[in-house]
Amino acid sequence: MPERFGGAAGWSGMFLDNTLYDLLLRGLILGMIALAFVVVQIRIVGLRSLSKMTSFDFVMTVALGSLVAGAAQASEWTGFVQAMLAMAGLFIFQVIVAKLRKSSETVRDMLHNDPILLMRDGKIDHAALKRSRVAESDLRAKLREANVLDYSKVRAVVLETTGDVSVLHGDTLNDGLLQDVATK
């Protein structure tokens, strides 16, 4: 076996002196530990940790994924511990922000995006499309995904706070479903 896979002179792996086997163990073990750590944190903090209700929540989810990957790829214990501490820090910060969001309307307004009404009763709101930077072709694609066959059956199309598009179609619509949706 070449020296680069069999243990180069001076190589001291995290688990083994053999470079190849150490790489395999690091990827497997550190990845599993990091993932288990995230699961434990989610059990402590709650499923809200992985929601996409606000842009903050979305960034939290992306950052967690990146840190799990970093922990799984760590080549030294200091890098692994740093990634684990960063994950814990994100969860702590999310708990703090959640408490601030509940107690402060200013913080809530800073972190919360209002859903936007893009279409109502079969009519496209072109101003809302422009304001939200949604192309009409993207709106039509979402209508097709929702099996809309007739614009007149579309009661509302909402760009949600998560960036998802909700298509409400049928014969009637309970206006309570649009209670928090920005219309202009």
Side-chain angles (χ1 to χ4, degrees):
M1 193 177 256
E3 186 174 271
R4 63 188 171 132
F5 291 113
W11 171 266
S12 178
M14 291 174 73
F15 296 104
L16 302 170
D17 287 335
N18 181 293
T19 307
L20 177 62
Y21 294 138
D22 187 64
L23 288 171
L24 291 171
L25 276 178
R26 274 189 288 151
L28 292 170
I29 293 173
L30 298 181
M32 288 187 284
I33 292 171
L35 195 56
F37 182 73
V38 169
V39 170
V40 168
Q41 293 298 310
I42 291 168
R43 296 285 295 164
I44 293 169
V45 176
L47 284 176
R48 176 81 167 76
S49 303
L50 296 180
S51 74
K52 293 189 316 178
M53 292 185 185
T54 67
S55 52
F56 180 84
D57 297 326
F58 176 73
V59 171
M60 167 78 175
T61 303
V62 172
L64 271 176
S66 187
L67 287 168
V68 168
Q73 296 174 5
S75 59
E76 296 179 2
W77 285 110
T78 54
F80 177 73
V81 170
Q82 183 178 10
M84 300 296 277
L85 289 172
M87 284 186 260
L90 284 178
F91 281 107
I92 292 167
F93 188 58
Q94 188 179 43
V95 168
I96 292 167
V97 168
K99 287 181 187 219
L100 288 172
R101 190 170 46 219
K102 281 184 177 183
S103 65
S104 168
E105 200 168 310
T106 304
V107 173
R108 186 173 35 255
D109 290 343
M110 273 181 15
L111 296 175
H112 183 77
N113 301 319
D114 287 327
I116 300 169
L117 189 65
L118 301 177
M119 190 171 178
R120 180 72 196 252
D121 294 325
K123 293 179 180 58
I124 298 172
D125 184 340
H126 293 280
L129 289 178
K130 185 175 181 179
R131 194 171 58 253
S132 60
R133 294 179 306 281
V134 174
E136 192 171 337
S137 59
D138 293 333
L139 174 63
R140 284 192 302 272
K142 289 298 182 180
L143 293 172
R144 288 190 300 271
E145 282 180 18
N147 297 318
V148 170
L149 301 174
D150 185 351
Y151 279 11
S152 68
K153 295 287 186 182
V154 176
R155 296 298 126 231
V157 176
V158 179
L159 177 62
E160 302 290 356
T161 61
T162 61
D164 294 328
V165 175
S166 296
V167 178
L168 307 172
H169 56 93
D171 294 327
T172 60
L173 173 67
N174 181 327
D175 284 336
L177 290 171
L178 301 178
Q179 185 174 351
D180 300 321
V181 178
T183 56
K184 294 292 174 197

